[in-house]
Amino acid sequence: MPVTAFDIPEKYTYQNGFNAYHETEAVPGALPIGANNPQKAPLGLYNEKLSGTAFTAPRNENQQTWLYRILPASSHSDFSPRESATYNTNPENKPHERIHQIPNQLRWDPFDLDEGVDWVHSLHLLAGAGDPAMKSGLGIYIFAVGKDMDPHEAFYSADGDFLIVPQHGVLDIQTEFGHLLVRPNEVCVIPRGIRYRVTLPSGPARGYICELYQGHFQLPELGPMGSNALANSRDFQAPIAAFDEDHSGSTTYTLLSKFAGDLFAATQTHTPFDVVAWHGNYYPYKYDLGRFNTMGSISYDHPDPSIFTVLTAPSDHAGTAVADFVIFPPRWLVAEDTFRPPWYHRNTMSEFMGLIGGQYDAKTGGGFQPGGASLHNVMSGHGPDAVTHEKASAAELKPVKVGEGSMAFMFESCFMVGVTDWGLKTCRKLQEGYNAESWEPLKARFRRPEEGGNVNGTKGHRRVEATDYLTGSSGDQ
Ligand SMILES: [Fe+2]
């Protein structure tokens, strides 16, 4: 039997809390007390600061971590461009890989697994907006990885924070800050600059990445929901300090940098994973989507899908996200007199969706499959397909649990999200006829009252109002 993700038990310990100020030491006494930058750090370590925001960022946004390591991160050779023929995450600089802005609704079959490449070479830019050099926008990647990274390699992106959503297989991620095991139905965030190495304990892996060129992910406001709901802070897990010891000078390590979309490489003769202790609030973390506390309507009309937001990366405009990470987990539908699938919709935001497993409840048939994707760009109409609409319009509205065994997600962005040549052509997964199959079969059913149209719609569509209580009417008509 092949090893599956579910055969891989958790093997690391973590410290819990979102945007918490953590401190951790792999050797007792490695963290200096009081001063961050003592003249002589404990145990002969070097002091190093990693800044995730400007020094002067407001206190509630400021993110930084102090690292105490065997040798500083700056101790390496010059970087040189690397493998531009096979590695390409920068369509802006390559005319044959430019971003195409198109209004069509797009949907992709499951992307192929690839047993021949490591993590760094598994990243395919599918869609995006903006420019990492201007710290503006986002990139959406499909990864399909089949090989461990070389034991003497480390990778980082200077371009943005990676929100990694595995769909198939397990990622064992060694970071400067310690280890993370990320399985399907878990996600992790590796902020920009943090060096890491990915290995595959269950074989090939596939999934989705949202790279945030600007800002960082945060938890959404909860407003009237109160102090606990959706993704709770305590369920986010950060690594504890763990380090390798190899500074003999006899082994060459390669440091790979994704920098403005291109890949660069430098060498060093000591392990990049030599952080013995750290303290701060800028670190990688993971989250189990099964811990999401789903909210929804218990009367009528389901809320906007923002009610399912796990993480949000705000733009400079309040309430408008560069990227929202939204999930559609198993949940109960109990609302009365309500069309239960999502409504038909056109959005000033763009909506990229993926499916981790199971069957998404707003579509019928096999068009939207685990490992596939869809994109409904700015103002492109979308919603339940004709078959789903027909079924939902006639369904008995008893309480029902939807999405069991399923987990769909959305990256929703305020930007117009363009698609690369890889997404349109090279991957060969773009479906033909998505629109024709989904919405063109919808029939007009409008009838004027004199033609027999029912002005009341479904029975009881009018809610019970104060006058109904006074007169004893049920509100049904
Ligand atoms: Fe929508």
Side-chain angles (χ1 to χ4, degrees):
M1 286 281 289
V3 178
T4 72
F6 302 102
D7 297 323
I8 307 293
E10 184 58 74
K11 58 180 179 179
Y12 301 122
T13 52
Y14 303 92
Q15 40 194 348
N16 296 345
F18 188 85
N19 198 25
Y21 202 102
H22 286 311
E23 61 176 54
T24 170
E25 54 188 13
V27 177
L31 278 172
I33 305 293
N36 294 319
N37 190 32
Q39 182 187 27
K40 288 189 172 67
L43 311 176
L45 298 168
Y46 284 86
N47 314 321
E48 181 180 274
K49 181 190 276 201
L50 178 61
S51 294
T53 53
F55 296 137
T56 47
R59 194 174 265 268
N60 66 341
E61 292 178 15
N62 208 299
Q63 293 190 16
Q64 59 140 28
T65 289
W66 281 93
L67 308 170
Y68 300 94
R69 62 192 315 160
I70 296 170
L71 282 165
S74 52
S75 175
H76 58 71
S77 73
D78 283 346
F79 281 102
S80 308
R82 176 85 175 261
E83 299 168 38
S84 59
T86 58
Y87 179 87
N88 183 0
T89 57
N90 186 3
E92 302 303 329
N93 290 345
K94 299 180 177 68
H96 64 285
E97 274 281 346
R98 73 183 187 88
I99 290 270
H100 303 270
Q101 293 289 2
I102 42 181
N104 286 333
Q105 303 93 338
L106 302 175
R107 192 163 67 181
W108 289 267
D109 285 332
F111 297 94
D112 288 335
L113 295 167
D114 187 344
E115 301 201 359
V117 295
D118 67 7
W119 174 257
V120 179
H121 297 87
S122 77
L123 306 173
H124 297 290
L125 184 64
L126 176 73
D131 178 4
M134 296 301 292
K135 294 193 174 176
S136 165
L138 77 167
I140 295 173
Y141 301 82
I142 300 299
F143 69 86
V145 51
K147 291 201 309 195
D148 291 350
M149 282 176 65
D150 187 282
H152 304 119
E153 280 186 353
F155 171 75
Y156 73 95
S157 175
D159 295 345
D161 292 14
F162 271 33
L163 166 61
I164 302 170
V165 184
Q167 182 272 323
H168 173 90
V170 177
L171 307 177
D172 192 337
I173 307 178
Q174 180 180 21
T175 79
E176 295 175 271
F177 290 65
H179 299 272
L180 292 163
L181 188 74
V182 190
R183 301 164 289 185
N185 227 42
E186 294 179 317
V187 298
C188 76
V189 172
I190 300 186
R192 72 171 71 216
I194 291 173
R195 297 171 182 183
Y196 64 99
R197 174 176 172 265
V198 177
T199 54
L200 309 170
S202 70
R206 175 179 62 190
Y208 314 83
I209 298 168
C210 177
E211 184 175 27
L212 193 63
Y213 300 152
Q214 67 189 94
H216 302 292
F217 287 101
Q218 60 187 51
L219 292 173
E221 296 294 343
L222 293 179
M225 281 186 282
S227 48
N228 292 104
L230 311 185
N232 289 313
S233 292
R234 71 178 289 244
D235 293 320
F236 288 83
Q237 298 181 298
I240 57 171
F243 67 103
D244 292 342
E245 207 173 345
D246 181 5
H247 47 278
S248 64
S250 57
T251 308
T252 299
Y253 291 83
T254 302
L255 182 60
L256 295 156
S257 173
K258 177 178 178 293
F259 199 89
D262 286 321
L263 188 67
F264 293 84
T267 57
Q268 60 186 58
T269 55
H270 55 97
T271 175
F273 302 109
D274 65 352
V275 175
V276 181
W278 59 267
H279 69 85
N281 65 351
Y282 189 67
Y283 47 75
Y285 56 86
K286 76 166 187 171
Y287 175 71
D288 179 346
L289 300 177
R291 300 186 186 188
F292 190 78
N293 184 204
T294 311
M295 300 279 144
S297 173
I298 52 171
S299 57
Y300 65 94
D301 284 357
H302 55 64
D304 291 339
S306 47
I307 196 75
F308 303 133
T309 302
V310 181
L311 291 167
T312 184
S315 70
D316 294 336
H317 191 74
T320 302
V322 173
D324 278 329
F325 175 57
V326 175
I327 60 172
F328 302 94
R331 62 203 182 279
W332 281 96
L333 299 185
V334 300
E336 296 176 305
D337 303 333
T338 291
F339 182 74
R340 287 179 175 177
W343 12 257
Y344 291 102
H345 191 209
R346 288 174 298 162
N347 196 350
T348 187
M349 310 279 281
S350 53
E351 305 181 15
F352 174 89
M353 283 192 65
L355 186 59
I356 297 169
Q359 168 80 39
Y360 177 51
D361 44 285
K363 291 283 190 294
T364 304
F368 185 53
Q369 295 175 49
S374 69
L375 174 64
H376 304 139
N377 219 328
V378 171
M379 290 302 167
S380 296
H382 56 275
D385 56 30
V387 177
T388 305
H389 186 275
E390 188 65 32
K391 263 203 279 190
S393 300
E396 184 193 350
L397 295 182
K398 59 185 179 191
V400 60
K401 193 163 191 188
V402 296
E404 285 205 88
S406 174
M407 185 66 77
F409 73 90
M410 177 162 68
F411 299 146
E412 182 170 357
S413 174
C414 64
F415 295 116
M416 190 172 277
V417 169
V419 185
T420 59
D421 271 2
W422 186 85
L424 285 180
K425 297 178 202 146
T426 316
C427 71
R428 302 166 72 95
K429 297 299 174 190
L430 190 64
Q431 296 176 3
E432 282 183 23
Y434 173 36
N435 192 314
E437 172 189 319
S438 298
W439 302 294
E440 287 187 51
L442 287 163
K443 299 271 187 300
R445 53 186 190 180
F446 172 68
R447 282 188 298 163
R448 295 172 185 273
E450 59 269 30
E451 297 166 342
N454 178 4
V455 294
N456 291 319
T458 49
K459 180 171 179 265
H461 85 289
R462 189 168 71 82
R463 310 303 312 166
V464 175
E465 296 169 356
T467 50
D468 297 318
Y469 286 108
L470 292 173
T471 62
S473 164
S474 70
D476 292 354
Q477 297 196 358

